[in-house]
């Protein structure tokens, strides 16, 4: 057959297929089977390993957990082409990953989405372990998340806690309220005020909700997160990047472009103000701190790209956990009226009905925190923690872990592990009031024993545990204190079904909210 009678698309496909087979064959020759014993795993194909199974079994986390159950193991090894992915559902092995072998497993894996979100790994969440990462982590811990900074921004958080109860109060009554919309409005507003010192990108929404640009920004954050947590072929076959073979590349490019269009003008303007006009008298938000930090020579510590990468870190890190936790906790309570009554009674006793709950009340709201912990256990935002990368050969649970392996600690597997939890699929906040977490006077959202995952621990642990706790408990407590929640008339139970792309509720929660405080306690919205 002459070349002239092959149409261009078919010829491209032939060349692509030939290149793929050749590249995989070369990879197969490079990959050496370790002499030491790897964790158990499903039988794979030559060259590609379990890659075909990964492609054909979506969502992948369901297939992985089902495979581990079939093998009756709490640690497993899946091979996707030349990459070994080791999954863990045991608290003992999770502690080994995040404590004993923390430094050896402190790397991150590269992917198209993480590279794009982080502007070439110029931030803390996605970048590899090293000196630059240590500098970023120190800055995050001692500057952005310091007690001094968090105390300075308390007024912003309180303002948005006030705004959210009034926003719900002003919604048409009676009627169903979209709880996810409420949670997203609060989370985005708090994040914007703490990072940029303003609630909106341009025009404020008249009703106190998210404006069009904020909604677009929020949607882009979640699209970027979904792409990062997806199991994409190009994560394991980097030479295929750029072909957009599973549409994820185009998706994450569009999401990052939106984030840049929203964030960059504010960053440019603020950098110009500080560096060319002398700046403001004091640092008022996280962006001010990032811009004004200096190195040992008195020069700006971070470039524009590093600052915009850090801002996107904050975008993706401050949104999903709080929203997801509150949206799952309220329906669990609606399905268990006794739990809902206990939570509101605690608020009435600790806070009363003549003032709104404040962050200073959180230490005493132990039952509310127990409900939040239980929801984090049962309903994590994603099935796995971000992958840890092996910087060197090591072992886990006595099995060999080769350098370059990815380790995925399963949020879902830990939280619902029957070897850890009695009645693991039942919502029982009381389990967190026992001696397992100290005593009933000291309930926190930390889980150092890794029986389930909220903020993680170790070198890659979340630097924002305090702000994460404050945001989650304040939103939940304000909604429970301010309103009497009931199901729509045609519902007797909430259907608790997770989505496929993440573990959010498959359908946003719709519920009825009747004000339970005096009208004067719902302050005017401040935008």
């Amino acid at each position: 057959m002459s070349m002239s009678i092959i149409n261009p698309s078919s010829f491209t496909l032939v060349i692509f297929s030939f290149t793929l087979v050749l590249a995989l064959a070369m990879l197969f020759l490079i990959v050496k089977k370790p002499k030491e014993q790897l964790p158990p795993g499903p039988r794979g194909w030559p060259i590609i390993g379990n890659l075909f199974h990964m492609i054909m079994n979506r969502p992948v986390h369901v297939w992985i957990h089902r495979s581990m159950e079939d093998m009756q193991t709490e640690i497993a090894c899946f091979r996707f082409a030349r990459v070994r992915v080791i999954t863990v559902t045991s608290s003992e092995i999770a502690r080994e990953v995040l404590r004993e072998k923390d430094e050896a497993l402190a790397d991150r894996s590269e992917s198209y989405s993480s590279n794009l979100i982080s502007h070439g790994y110029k931030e803390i969440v996605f970048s590899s372990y090293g000196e630059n990462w240590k500098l970023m982590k120190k800055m995050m811990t001692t500057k952005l998340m310091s007690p001094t900074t968090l105390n300075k921004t308390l007024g912003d958080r309180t303002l948005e806690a006030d705004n959210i109860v009034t926003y719900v109060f002003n919604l048409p009554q009676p009627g169903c309220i979209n709880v996810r919309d409420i949670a997203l409005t609060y989370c985005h507003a708090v994040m914007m005020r703490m990072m940029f010192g303003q609630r909106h990108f341009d025009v404020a929404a008249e009703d106190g909700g998210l404006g069009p640009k904020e909604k677009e920004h929020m949607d882009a954050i979640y699209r970027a997160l979904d792409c990062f947590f997806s199991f994409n072929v190009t994560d394991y076959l980097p030479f295929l990047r750029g072909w957009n073979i599973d549409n994820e590349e185009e998706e994450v490019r569009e999401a990052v472009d939106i984030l840049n269009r929203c964030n960059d003008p504010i960053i440019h303007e603020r950098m110009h103000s500080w560096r060319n006009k002398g700046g403001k008298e004091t640092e008022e938000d996280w962006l001010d701190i990032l811009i004004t930090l200096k190195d040992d020579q008195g020069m700006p510590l971070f470039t524009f790209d590093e600052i915009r990468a850090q801002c996107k870190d904050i975008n993706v890190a401050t949104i999903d956990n709080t929203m997801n936790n509150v949206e799952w906790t309220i329906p669990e309570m609606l399905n268990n009226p006794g739990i809902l009554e206990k939570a509101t009674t605690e608020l009435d006793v600790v806070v009363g009905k003549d003032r709104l709950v404040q962050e200073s009340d959180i230490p005493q709201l132990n039952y509310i925190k127990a409900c939040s912990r239980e929801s984090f256990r049962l309903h994590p935002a994603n099935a796995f923690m971000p992958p840890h990368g092996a910087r060197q050969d090591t072992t886990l649970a006595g099995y060999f872990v080769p350098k370059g392996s990815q380790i995925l600690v399963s949020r879902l597997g830990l939280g619902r592990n029957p070897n850890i939890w009695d009645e693991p699929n039942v919502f029982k906040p009381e389990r967190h009031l026992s001696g397992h977490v100290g005593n009933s006077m000291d309930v926190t959202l930390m889980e150092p024993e890794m029986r389930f995952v909220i903020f993680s621990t170790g070198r890659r642990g979340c630097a924002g545990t305090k702000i994460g706790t404050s945001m989650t408990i304040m939103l939940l407590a304000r909604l429970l204190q301010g309103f009497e929640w009931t199901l729509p008339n045609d519902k007797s139970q909430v259907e608790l079904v997770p989505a496929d792309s993440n573990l959010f509720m498959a359908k946003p929660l719709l519920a009825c909210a009747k004000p339970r405080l005096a009208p004067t306690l719902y302050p005017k919205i401040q935008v």
Side-chain angles (χ1 to χ4, degrees), residues 10 56 58 95 110 132 144 152 175 212 233 236 282 360 368 388 406 415 420 431 436 496:
S10 299
M56 298 303 296
R58 301 285 178 167
R95 291 195 296 270
E110 292 188 358
N132 192 53
L144 299 193
K152 283 175 63 176
V233 173
Y236 310 104
T282 59
S360 57
I368 299 287
H388 284 239
Q406 294 180 14
I420 302 173
R431 71 173 90 232
H436 291 297
L496 303 177

Side-chain angles (χ1 to χ4, degrees), residues 98 102 108 124-125 133 137 140-141 145 286 313-314 316-322 385-386 388 411 445-446 450 453-469 471:
L98 300 170
D102 182 26
R108 283 284 193 242
I124 187 173
V125 172
W133 179 87
K137 182 66 179 279
M140 184 70 70
T141 304
M145 300 299 169
W286 285 337
D313 261 9
I314 295 169
V316 302
T318 57
I319 299 297
D320 60 338
N321 262 349
T322 294
M385 291 174 57
H388 284 239
R411 298 174 183 267
L445 296 194
M446 297 299 293
M450 297 304 298
V453 179
I454 298 179
F455 300 115
S456 184
T457 186
R459 284 171 172 78
R460 287 289 181 174
C462 176
T465 55
K466 186 173 182 180
I467 185 63
T469 296
M471 288 178 64

Side-chain angles (χ1 to χ4, degrees), residues 99-235:
R99 287 185 187 171
E100 299 169 33
K101 307 293 173 60
D102 182 26
E103 186 171 6
L105 303 175
D107 249 344
R108 283 284 193 242
S109 57
E110 292 188 358
S111 69
Y112 185 89
S113 57
S114 63
N115 179 59
L116 208 59
I117 296 168
S118 66
H119 294 284
Y121 305 105
K122 293 181 174 67
E123 42 61 86
I124 187 173
V125 172
F126 304 105
S127 60
S128 295
Y129 185 75
E131 292 306 314
N132 192 53
W133 179 87
K134 292 178 184 178
L135 174 66
M136 295 281 190
K137 182 66 179 279
K138 182 179 179 181
M139 176 277 301
M140 184 70 70
T141 304
T142 62
K143 298 296 183 180
L144 299 193
M145 300 299 169
S146 71
T148 300
T149 300
L150 294 182
N151 286 338
K152 283 175 63 176
T153 54
L154 174 60
D156 289 333
R157 298 194 299 278
T158 302
L159 178 62
E160 289 308 329
D162 291 347
N163 280 341
I164 202 63
V165 292
T166 303
Y167 176 58
V168 178
F169 180 78
N170 290 337
L171 290 173
Q173 296 287 341
C176 289
I177 292 172
N178 186 320
V179 176
R180 182 176 300 176
D181 174 71
I182 301 303
L184 290 178
T185 299
Y186 168 81
C187 293
H188 195 270
V190 171
M191 179 267 293
M192 285 288 291
R193 284 201 188 271
M194 295 190 68
M195 183 163 68
F196 291 143
Q198 60 192 63
R199 194 176 199 261
H200 297 276
F201 289 107
D202 39 42
V203 180
E206 293 183 3
D207 64 354
L210 298 177
K213 199 165 185 178
E214 286 74 46
K215 291 179 180 178
E216 184 183 34
H217 188 252
M218 179 69 74
D219 179 63
I221 292 171
Y222 283 108
R223 288 164 62 192
L225 276 170
D226 282 347
C227 290
F228 170 70
F229 281 107
S230 297
F231 288 80
N232 299 315
V233 173
T234 59
D235 293 345

